């Protein structure tokens, strides 16, 4: 897993995270994150900028409708993103991890590890 990865709902009523919950959950995990409002962005309303000391900067975007998160991190950062989402995901949320080219997808579960997600990723059912 690398490049832009998305977490989204592919089923009605699937995944939703409010902007306030996004801010709170980001700050719980990354207290030094710079969460900024994106009034001019087409789809994202919030972006969390993460700059680990001595590491590559990366970001997590929150869609205006609350039904999509995306990240541009490297493999280690994507793994951290997946673990973060799965740490607060509830069983009633049908959240999927997908690459931005829609070549691979996996349904996320509460407590799922990034290693499990990577191992279970496969072609989407519509391919």
């Amino acid at each position: 897993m690398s490049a832009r990865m998305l977490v989204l709902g592919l089923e009605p009523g699937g995944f939703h995270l409010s902007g306030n919950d996004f801010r709170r959950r980001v700050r719980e995990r990354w207290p030094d994150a710079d969460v900024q409002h994106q009034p001019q962005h087409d789809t994202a309303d919030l972006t969390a900028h993460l700059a680990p000391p001595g590491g590559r900067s990366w970001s997590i975007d929150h869609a205006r409708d609350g039904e999509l998160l995306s990240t541009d991190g490297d493999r280690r950062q994507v793994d951290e993103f997946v673990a973060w989402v799965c740490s607060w995901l509830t069983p009633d949320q049908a959240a999927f991890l997908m690459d931005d080219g829609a070549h691979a997808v996996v349904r996320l579960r509460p407590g799922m590890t990034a290693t499990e997600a990577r191992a279970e990723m496969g072609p989407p059912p519509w391919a």
Side-chain angles (χ1 to χ4, degrees):
M1 291 186 287
S2 62
R4 183 148 298 271
M5 297 296 289
L6 315 170
V7 170
L8 67 160
L10 295 175
E11 300 172 0
F15 175 77
H16 187 270
L17 182 68
S18 73
N20 287 337
D21 284 342
F22 175 75
R23 285 180 193 271
R24 178 178 56 81
R25 292 189 185 284
V26 164
R27 290 199 171 119
E28 285 172 353
R29 173 62 186 90
W30 299 282
D32 295 330
D34 180 19
V35 181
Q36 296 181 353
H37 181 63
Q38 302 294 332
Q40 303 302 321
H41 196 280
D42 290 343
T43 57
D45 64 342
L46 298 167
T47 298
H49 299 279
L50 307 162
R56 177 185 174 273
S57 296
W58 59 296
S59 63
I60 302 171
D61 291 324
H62 174 270
R64 290 184 195 289
D65 64 7
E67 296 178 0
L68 173 77
L69 299 176
S70 65
T71 186
D72 63 352
D74 60 25
R75 181 177 169 147
R76 182 189 58 76
Q77 293 160 337
V78 169
D79 286 354
E80 190 172 355
F81 171 71
V82 169
W84 171 67
V85 170
C86 292
S87 74
W88 48 260
L89 194 66
T90 60
D92 62 319
Q93 291 179 308
F96 293 81
L97 177 69
M98 182 171 65
D99 68 320
D100 67 350
H103 299 105
V105 65
V106 63
R107 183 173 181 156
L108 299 175
R109 301 180 303 274
M112 183 181 224
T113 68
T115 301
E116 291 168 331
R118 202 175 313 106
E120 293 177 26
M121 280 193 94
W126 60 86

